[in-house]
């Protein structure tokens, strides 16, 4: 194929001719440099900067909140495992009805390590649970708040019923309450089997000596349903608790900041506000928690109520209404410091990981 330039063609075009006399005009940009054949082609292979990509991922808001929740949950449970053990035994009716008596029974039966019975599964449970819960709460509450800001300008979503256009009252819904409810639902769906295994290990160490054995026995005896024993009452109990818990924390925190005219709170103040929110939420939803625990370990003890209503009725019949709050004192001793320490650690880790980049 011959390459020649014709004077009648514009200078920016070249003409290609072949053996059959056919010609085709080509843009001059496609001219092949003569020296190109003599010069070997140079290729530069660049590997992806994995380190920078990881740093960018960790610095993102969602991942930072997820990791902060995981670290806060792990540190809190490591400190408060003995109170969790005593609380679980008292709620399900195993051993003494008093905190001190239950404490002494555990030490007499299993030694000091008995106070940390089920702590391994508790740690495995709380790390993903706390990470999912706090991450979901932050993400959902931000999304709802952002949507409400748009609805203020453009109007909220509407539903047409016949000739009527009804505007849904979403602007009056609390983003914090919605985020708290979503956090409870999502974390329960994903992490409930770990809660079941943890309670079995805590209540009957002889029958369930290890996590793997507990998992196999529950799955062998009851199938997948056994791993989700008490799921419905857990979800029912989690909704009011989680909604109230996060709502109380954010409202008390914002009110306290307004009164004290502060933008940031110190660790002691976060500890106090977290403890108050945990106490309030636990007190409101505690009867549902008692019924939930009864359902989760009832089959193991040979006395399993049919449903949540039956569990509540059984408790009232046997112990009266005060039975609905059996273990409430131990629960408060566990929930208050747990909630306070969790929020304290969470805010500290979030501040460290996100470097105040997204703090409002």
């Amino acid at each position: 194929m011959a390459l020649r330039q014709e004077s009648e063609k514009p200078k920016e075009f070249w003409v290609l001719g072949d053996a059959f006399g056919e010609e085709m005009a080509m843009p001059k940009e496609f001219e092949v440099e003569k020296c190109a054949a003599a010069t070997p082609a140079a290729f530069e292979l660049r590997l992806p900067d994995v380190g920078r990509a990881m740093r960018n991922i960790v610095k993102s808001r969602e991942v930072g909140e997820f990791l902060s929740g995981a670290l806060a949950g792990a540190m809190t449970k490591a400190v408060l495992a003995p109170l969790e053990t005593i609380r679980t035994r008292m709620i399900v009716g195993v051993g003494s009805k008093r905190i001190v008596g239950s404490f002494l029974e555990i030490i007499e039966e299993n030694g000091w390590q008995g106070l940390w019975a089920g702590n391994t599964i508790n740690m495995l449970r709380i790390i993903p649970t706390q990470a999912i819960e706090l991450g979901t709460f932050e993400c959902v509450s931000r999304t709802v708040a952002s949507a409400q800001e748009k609805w203020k300008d453009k109007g909220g979503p509407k539903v047409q019923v016949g000739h009527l256009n009804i505007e849904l009252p979403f602007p009056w819904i609390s983003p914090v309450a919605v985020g708290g409810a979503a956090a409870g639902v999502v974390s329960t769906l994903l992490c409930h089997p770990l809660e079941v295994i943890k309670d079995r290990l805590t209540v009957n160490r002889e029958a369930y000596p290890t996590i793997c054995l507990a998992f196999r026995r529950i799955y062998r005896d009851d199938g997948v349903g056994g791993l989700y024993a008490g799921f419905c009452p857990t979800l029912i109990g989690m909704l009011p608790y989680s909604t109230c818990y996060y709502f109380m924390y954010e409202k008390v925190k914002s009110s306290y900041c307004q009164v004290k005219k502060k933008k940031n709170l110190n660790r002691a103040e976060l500890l106090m506000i977290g403890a108050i929110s945990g106490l309030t939420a636990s007190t409101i939803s505690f009867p549902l928690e008692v019924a939930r625990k009864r359902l989760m370990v009832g089959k193991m003890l040979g006395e399993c109520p049919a449903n949540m209503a039956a569990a509540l009725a059984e408790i009232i019949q046997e112990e009266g209404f005060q039975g609905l709050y059996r273990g409430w004192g131990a629960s408060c001793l566990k929930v208050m410091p747990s909630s306070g320490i969790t929020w304290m650690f969470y805010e500290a880790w979030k501040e460290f990981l996100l470097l105040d980049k997204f703090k409002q």
Side-chain angles (χ1 to χ4, degrees), residues 52-68 142 349-350 353-355 357-358:
R52 178 179 295 180
M54 291 299 296
R55 286 193 297 271
N56 291 335
I57 291 174
V58 172
K59 288 181 181 178
S60 68
R61 184 167 192 165
E62 289 75 15
V63 175
E65 290 166 349
F66 186 89
L67 291 177
S68 297
R142 273 199 309 271
W349 277 111
K350 190 167 66 169
L353 292 175
L354 299 179
L355 300 175
K357 182 178 179 182
F358 299 102

Side-chain angles (χ1 to χ4, degrees), residues 80-137:
L80 300 176
L83 290 176
E84 173 70 15
T85 301
I86 294 172
R87 170 178 173 270
T88 301
R89 287 171 62 94
M90 292 186 68
I91 287 177
V92 300
V94 175
S96 175
K97 297 182 179 180
R98 298 181 179 275
I99 297 173
V100 176
S102 181
F103 175 81
L104 295 176
E105 281 181 357
I106 294 171
I107 294 178
E108 183 179 352
E109 294 172 3
N110 303 307
W112 288 98
Q113 64 271 22
L115 294 171
W116 276 266
N119 189 52
T120 302
I121 184 62
N122 207 16
M123 294 287 285
L124 293 176
R125 176 188 68 88
I126 200 60
I127 289 174
T129 300
Q130 204 71 66
I132 292 169
E133 191 171 316
L134 286 165
T136 301
F137 165 72

Side-chain angles (χ1 to χ4, degrees), residues 4-11 13 15 23:
R4 63 185 180 83
Q5 185 177 10
E6 288 189 348
S7 59
E8 65 272 17
K9 296 288 184 180
K11 291 185 178 181
F13 282 86
V15 178
E23 294 183 349

Side-chain angles (χ1 to χ4, degrees), residues 129-338:
T129 300
Q130 204 71 66
I132 292 169
E133 191 171 316
L134 286 165
T136 301
F137 165 72
E138 297 274 16
C139 182
V140 172
S141 58
R142 273 199 309 271
T143 302
V144 174
S146 176
Q148 287 181 340
E149 289 295 326
K150 295 179 181 179
W151 294 336
K152 286 181 181 179
D153 300 330
K154 301 179 180 179
K158 298 179 180 179
V159 175
Q160 186 172 359
V161 179
H163 298 288
L164 297 176
N165 287 327
I166 302 175
E167 185 172 349
L168 299 178
F170 284 115
W172 289 274
I173 294 176
S174 170
V176 176
V178 175
V185 171
V186 174
S187 63
T188 301
L189 283 171
L190 298 179
C191 303
H192 185 76
L194 296 175
E195 175 77 7
V196 174
I197 295 174
K198 187 268 297 182
D199 284 346
R200 297 286 181 97
L201 288 172
T202 301
V203 174
N204 194 339
R205 191 71 177 180
E206 291 78 14
Y208 303 95
T210 65
I211 296 173
C212 293
L213 185 59
F215 179 84
R216 288 199 299 268
R217 285 185 177 178
I218 295 171
Y219 183 76
R220 180 194 62 194
D221 296 340
D222 304 314
V224 177
L227 295 172
Y228 278 88
F231 174 76
C232 288
T234 298
L235 196 59
I236 295 171
M238 179 58 71
L239 276 173
Y241 173 81
S242 183
T243 304
C244 179
Y245 177 63
Y246 288 100
F247 182 83
M248 283 295 298
Y249 176 77
E250 291 294 333
K251 291 304 177 183
V252 172
K253 180 182 175 182
S254 61
S255 300
Y256 185 84
C257 288
Q258 290 177 359
V259 171
K260 295 294 183 179
K261 297 180 179 179
K262 289 184 173 183
K263 291 185 178 180
N264 298 315
L265 301 180
N266 58 39
R267 302 292 177 246
E269 290 169 329
L270 290 171
L271 181 69
M272 177 191 67
I273 293 173
I276 292 173
S277 63
L279 173 63
T280 305
S282 179
T283 302
I284 292 173
S285 62
F286 194 78
L288 298 176
E289 173 74 1
V290 175
R292 180 176 76 90
K293 293 290 186 181
R294 287 290 182 96
L295 287 172
M296 289 175 67
V297 300
K299 186 169 184 178
M300 182 183 65
L301 299 176
E303 301 174 355
C304 184
N307 50 52
M308 191 174 215
L312 290 170
E314 182 180 295
I315 294 168
I316 295 173
Q317 183 179 2
E318 293 177 357
E319 305 178 41
F321 284 97
Q322 65 270 22
L324 296 176
Y325 281 89
R326 181 181 180 183
W328 178 80
S331 180
C332 289
L333 289 177
K334 178 258 179 183
V335 169
M336 290 181 67
S338 175

